[in-house]
Amino acid sequence: MSQIEKKNVYNRERSKTQVKSTVMKKTSQALAALMIVSMLLPVLAFAAVNFNSVTYDKYNRTITGSVYSDTYTVSDSVYFTVYSDSATKNVLPSSFNATNFKTVDGVTYYDFNISLTSVSVAVYDAVYVKTTDGAAEAVYGVLNTGVSVNPINSGSTGWGGGGGGGGSISNDGVIEVFGDSVDAFTLQRAFEKSKEVKLKIKGEKLAIPADALAEALKKGGVSVTIINDNGTYTLPLAAMKFEALAKELGAELKDTKINVTIAKVADATAEDVTKAVYAAGGSPIKNAVDFNVTASGNSKSVDVDFGSTYVSRTLNVNKNLDAKKATGALYNETTKKLSFVPSTFASKDGQTVATLKRNGNSIYTVIEANKSFEDLASHWSKADVEMLANKLVVEGAADKQFQPDRNITRAEFAALVVRSLGLNSVTANTYFTDINSSAWYAGVVASASKAGIINGYEDNTFRPDAQITREELAAMIIRSLSYAGVASEVSESNQAQQLAKFKDSSKIVWAKKEIAAAVNAGIINGLTDDTIGSAEKATRSQAATMLKRYLKLADFID
C-alpha cells in the first residue's frame, strides 16, 4: 500500500473516531441533563407514591422514612435509589425495598430503612423513589446535617402553600416538621407512637388539620405541644370545639386548620413592653412572645376560645431566677400595661423554663421585681405580701405603704381575685344595680361575677365598699380554686369534722361548706385555736396570705 493510500485510510478511521467521540459526548451530556431534569422535575405518575417523612442520620449512615400510595398495594411495588452528593450524582449500585406496609381504605403505607454502611460514599443529598416499572415518582432532598428538608418536587404529596406537610417522627412521638404545616397522616402515625405528640417547627407558625386533632381526641388522654426557638404551646384539645369552629367558618372539618403562632413581637412592640416592665416596678428578663391560636377554613379565620381552660405555654430564660421575685406577665396592647399570669419556674444548668398558664391568647413575657413596704418590716405577712407584690397580684395602698391591718372591701378583694386568676376585666356591667360603670372596680367586679367567683345580695346589689368578712373571703377563694380546675369540696362528714374544732362554727351564716373546704385545704386558719371568726372583717394581710395559699395549691405559683 502506497504512502498516500495509508494516509487516506488513517484519515477515514480518524474521522470515524471523532464522529463516535462526538456522538458519545453528546449522548452523555443528554443523559446527564435528563438525570438532572428527572431529579428536579419528575413528571410521571405523581399521584402514585407520596412522601410522608424522610430523615438522614449521617452518624449511623441510614435513611429512614415513609411513603404512601393509592395505586400500589404490594410490598415490593416501591423501591428506593439513593444519589450521592458528588458532581456526577452517582447512583448507588443497590436498590432498597420498603420494609413494612399496610393498606387502609385503599391507601397503602410503606416504611423504609436504608442502611448505607456498606457504601463507600459518605454523604447523600437525595432519595429518589421509583416503581417497579422504573417510572419516577418524586425526589426528596436530605441534608448531610441529619435534618430533613422540603421535597425537591412534592408532586401530589399534600404539601400546601408554604411547603411542609410531613415530618420525621421519633419513637416517642416527636415530629420534626417540614415547613409550616403538618399533614393528618403524620399526626396519626405520631399518635401511634405516643399520646403526647410534640411538633418541632423551624418557623413561627404551624397549620394543623382539625380533623386529625378531633380524631386523636376521641382516643382520650392525648396532647399536642408545638415547639420552636421562642417557646412552646400545649393545645387544650378537650376545650377546642372542632365541629363548632368548622361550622362557624362555614367549612367542612376536613378543610379546617388550627393555626398556632409562637412569634417574637415587632421591635416597636418590644420597646413598649420594656417600658411597661419598668413602669410596673420590674426588670425585663425575657423578650416578649406573641402566642396565638386561630381556626381557618373557607377563606375565613376566627380566634379559638378556650373557655375557662388554662393553657400552658413556656418561655426559656437564660439565667436562674428566684421564683419569689419572678413572674410571667401579660402585655395589654391597648392599655400598654402588664398584669400577672399564673406561672411556675424550673431551673437546670443555669437555664430557667417559665411555664405560663392562662385561658387566652396574647403577648407574654417574664419579669423580675424586688418590692418592699416600709410598714411590713416586722409584720407576720411580710414574705407573702412581698411575693405577691413582685408578681403584680397585690399593690401598695400608698407610696412604700401596704397598710396590712386595714380591712379590705369587697370591691378590693374582687380585684385581687381577678388578677390572681389572670382574667380580663369585663367592660359592660349587667350584674349589680349599685355598680356604676365608671367606677374603678366596675370591670373587675363584672369579670369576677361572670366567672362565678362572687355573688350579690338578694336585692341584686354587690355593696362594693362594704368590708369583706372572713366567711365571704373563704367562699370567694374556694370558688377561685374551682375556676382554676382544682377540686376542693369536702364530704358532709368531713365538713362536720373540720368545723367541730371551732366553738363558734354555729355562727357561720351560709358558707359552711366553703369554710370547711378552705380549712381542709389549709387556706384559712382559725383566729385562735378554737375560733374561726367567720363574721370578723378580713384585713389586707389576711387576704394576701389566703391568696398566696390558694395560688400555690392551684400550681399557679411556686
Side-chain angles (χ1 to χ4, degrees):
M1 183 181 293
S2 68
Q3 201 64 22
I4 293 176
E5 289 175 328
K6 289 181 179 181
K7 186 175 182 180
N8 288 336
V9 170
Y10 171 77
N11 287 336
R12 286 196 299 271
E13 293 299 324
R14 182 181 178 185
S15 177
K16 290 179 181 179
T17 302
Q18 288 175 334
V19 170
K20 183 178 181 180
S21 175
T22 300
V23 171
M24 290 180 66
K25 183 176 181 180
K26 290 183 178 180
T27 301
S28 297
Q29 290 173 340
L31 289 173
L34 285 172
M35 179 175 287
I36 292 172
V37 169
S38 68
M39 290 179 63
L40 297 179
L41 191 62
V43 296
L44 300 175
F46 278 144
V49 178
N50 304 297
F51 276 107
N52 180 56
S53 64
V54 180
T55 300
Y56 172 46
D57 185 338
K58 69 175 182 178
Y59 300 105
N60 296 318
R61 298 182 66 191
T62 58
I63 296 178
T64 59
S66 62
V67 295
Y68 58 97
S69 173
D70 57 4
T71 303
Y72 303 106
T73 57
V74 293
S75 61
D76 61 352
S77 290
V78 177
Y79 64 88
F80 307 88
T81 304
V82 181
Y83 290 85
S84 78
D85 69 342
S86 65
T88 57
K89 301 291 182 185
N90 291 329
V91 180
L92 295 181
S94 301
S95 296
F96 307 87
N97 282 0
T99 55
N100 297 300
F101 72 101
K102 63 179 180 180
T103 301
V104 180
D105 296 331
V107 179
T108 302
Y109 305 104
Y110 301 85
D111 292 333
F112 60 88
N113 189 323
I114 302 173
S115 175
L116 306 175
T117 55
S118 62
V119 182
S120 59
V121 181
V123 182
Y124 309 90
D125 69 350
V127 174
Y128 193 15
V129 180
K130 296 182 180 180
T131 60
T132 50
D133 62 0
E137 299 298 341
V139 178
Y140 208 102
V142 183
L143 295 177
N144 62 2
T145 57
V147 180
S148 298
V149 297
N150 288 343
I152 297 172
N153 189 302
S154 61
S156 301
T157 56
W159 279 282
S168 63
I169 310 172
S170 67
N171 290 330
D172 56 355
V174 178
I175 305 174
E176 296 279 353
V177 179
F178 310 144
D180 56 10
S181 65
V182 65
D183 61 70
F185 178 62
T186 301
L187 274 178
Q188 175 192 343
R189 290 177 59 83
F191 277 118
E192 290 174 357
K193 296 175 181 291
S194 174
K195 286 192 172 184
E196 298 178 354
V197 169
K198 296 179 175 61
L199 300 164
K200 291 185 176 181
I201 60 176
K202 298 297 183 182
E204 296 184 325
K205 297 182 179 181
L206 179 67
I208 310 171
D211 57 346
L213 295 177
E215 188 63 30
L217 182 59
K218 294 178 182 178
K219 300 178 181 179
V222 297
S223 68
V224 174
T225 300
I226 296 84
I227 303 170
N228 70 4
D229 291 340
N230 299 324
T232 73
Y233 203 138
T234 300
L235 292 178
L237 299 183
M240 300 174 71
K241 311 301 182 184
F242 297 108
E243 293 284 357
L245 286 169
K247 184 176 181 180
E248 184 178 356
L249 293 165
E252 297 291 331
L253 184 61
K254 63 182 178 63
D255 299 320
T256 302
K257 301 290 184 183
I258 301 299
N259 310 293
V260 181
T261 300
I262 311 175
K264 289 182 179 179
V265 298
D267 291 343
T269 302
E271 291 180 9
D272 289 340
V273 173
T274 300
K275 291 176 182 177
V277 173
Y278 288 121
S283 300
I285 296 298
K286 172 66 181 179
N287 293 332
V289 176
D290 187 2
F291 291 85
N292 193 31
V293 180
T294 63
S296 62
N298 192 28
S299 301
K300 300 177 183 178
S301 179
V302 295
D303 292 332
V304 176
D305 184 1
F306 301 132
S308 61
T309 300
Y310 280 80
V311 184
S312 291
R313 53 190 68 79
T314 69
L315 294 172
N316 295 325
V317 181
N318 295 324
K319 61 176 288 188
N320 279 322
L321 293 177
D322 183 346
K324 294 180 179 179
K325 297 179 180 179
T327 187
L330 177 150
Y331 174 70
N332 187 315
E333 292 184 273
T334 302
T335 65
K336 296 188 181 301
K337 293 182 179 180
L338 296 180
S339 59
F340 167 75
V341 173
S343 45
T344 56
F345 300 88
S347 297
K348 183 179 180 181
D349 300 328
Q351 303 292 314
T352 299
V353 176
T355 300
L356 285 65
K357 304 170 186 176
R358 190 171 175 273
N359 53 3
N361 295 302
S362 190
I363 295 171
Y364 299 90
T365 189
V366 176
I367 72 169
E368 198 170 30
N370 189 17
K371 298 183 179 182
S372 63
F373 302 95
E374 293 173 351
D375 56 352
L376 287 179
S378 57
H379 200 275
W380 63 267
S381 66
K382 173 181 170 64
D384 291 344
V385 170
E386 290 182 349
M387 173 194 283
L388 294 190
N390 291 336
K391 293 181 180 296
L392 309 181
V393 177
V394 302
E395 298 174 347
D399 186 36
K400 290 294 183 180
Q401 301 291 312
F402 184 72
Q403 299 177 6
D405 298 319
R406 176 171 68 79
N407 292 337
I408 187 171
T409 68
R410 286 167 54 82
E412 288 174 331
F413 192 70
L416 293 181
V417 166
V418 168
R419 285 184 213 147
S420 70
L421 290 169
L423 300 178
N424 291 326
S425 293
V426 177
T427 54
N429 172 53
T430 58
Y431 302 97
F432 306 110
T433 59
D434 59 343
I435 299 292
N436 190 311
S437 60
S438 63
W440 70 265
Y441 48 75
V444 293
V445 169
S447 180
S449 182
K450 180 181 179 181
I453 308 301
I454 60 177
N455 295 322
Y457 293 91
E458 292 181 356
D459 60 356
N460 203 33
T461 62
F462 177 69
R463 304 175 192 176
D465 296 323
Q467 296 174 357
I468 195 169
T469 66
R470 285 165 56 83
E471 182 175 15
E472 293 169 332
L473 189 149
M476 291 171 70
I477 288 287
I478 291 302
R479 292 170 190 159
S480 297
L481 267 179
S482 178
Y483 187 88
V486 179
S488 59
E489 293 185 2
V490 295
S491 63
E492 289 189 11
S493 60
N494 193 12
Q495 174 182 314
Q497 181 181 354
Q498 294 297 333
L499 298 180
K501 64 184 76 170
F502 304 112
K503 61 185 181 183
D504 61 344
S505 61
S506 61
K507 296 181 180 179
I508 300 173
V509 179
W510 53 271
K512 285 189 176 181
K513 67 177 182 179
E514 288 89 350
I515 289 180
V519 171
N520 184 63
I523 291 172
I524 188 172
N525 298 323
L527 284 178
T528 67
D529 290 341
D530 61 356
T531 61
I532 191 66
S534 60
E536 296 290 329
K537 301 298 188 286
T539 65
R540 284 168 56 81
S541 57
Q542 290 172 344
T545 298
M546 291 187 196
L547 279 175
K548 175 250 187 177
R549 291 171 182 165
Y550 114 75
L551 286 170
K552 287 184 70 71
L553 190 61
D555 200 28
F556 278 4
I557 62 173
D558 291 302

